[in-house]
Amino acid sequence: NEIGQLLKLDSGTLSPLLKKMESKNYLRRTRQKEDERVVLIELTDEGRELRKKAAKIPLTMVCQMDMKEREIVELRNELNVLIEKLSRNP
């Protein structure tokens, strides 16, 4: 549930993604012993390596864009406003 809220995805979208990532050995899903309804997500070593690679993507994209820093900041701000508006009106 927490992951879905952070990513703004419903369980119908998130569950298949998590299953696919688990099948590729990027994460492990286990049920909490105290409350079987709670699913715990843990990255595997492969998942941590993928996270390291993914962390480099934003900088790589910025370096390849023909935009000034000010333009990039403005674009990011506009996208944040759009995301906020979309999350208020599901």
Side-chain angles (χ1 to χ4, degrees):
N1 196 21
E2 291 174 34
I3 294 173
Q5 289 174 354
L6 285 170
L7 298 176
K8 301 188 185 330
L9 296 173
D10 62 39
S11 62
T13 302
L14 185 58
S15 292
L17 290 173
L18 292 174
K19 285 179 184 177
K20 188 167 188 171
M21 291 177 73
E22 186 177 35
S23 74
K24 293 181 180 277
N25 200 33
Y26 293 138
L27 59 86
R28 217 179 284 69
R29 295 185 305 163
T30 56
R31 299 257 176 210
Q32 188 180 54
K33 291 178 184 172
E34 298 81 23
D35 186 348
E36 290 279 323
R37 296 171 296 176
V38 177
V39 178
L40 304 172
I41 307 293
E42 177 186 10
L43 284 178
T44 62
D45 290 339
E46 290 88 344
R48 283 187 278 283
E49 285 300 314
L50 181 62
R51 181 173 60 181
K52 286 180 190 176
K53 289 178 184 178
K56 297 175 186 177
I57 292 172
L59 180 60
T60 302
M61 288 177 62
V62 168
C63 290
Q64 294 187 15
M65 293 168 45
D66 187 25
M67 294 175 74
K68 295 180 170 85
E69 183 179 355
R70 176 186 50 76
E71 294 171 316
I72 293 170
V73 170
E74 288 174 7
L75 176 60
R76 185 185 66 201
N77 291 339
E78 290 175 20
L79 289 171
N80 285 334
V81 168
L82 177 62
I83 290 168
E84 179 63 30
K85 286 181 180 182
L86 289 172
S87 54
R88 280 187 271 153
N89 300 314

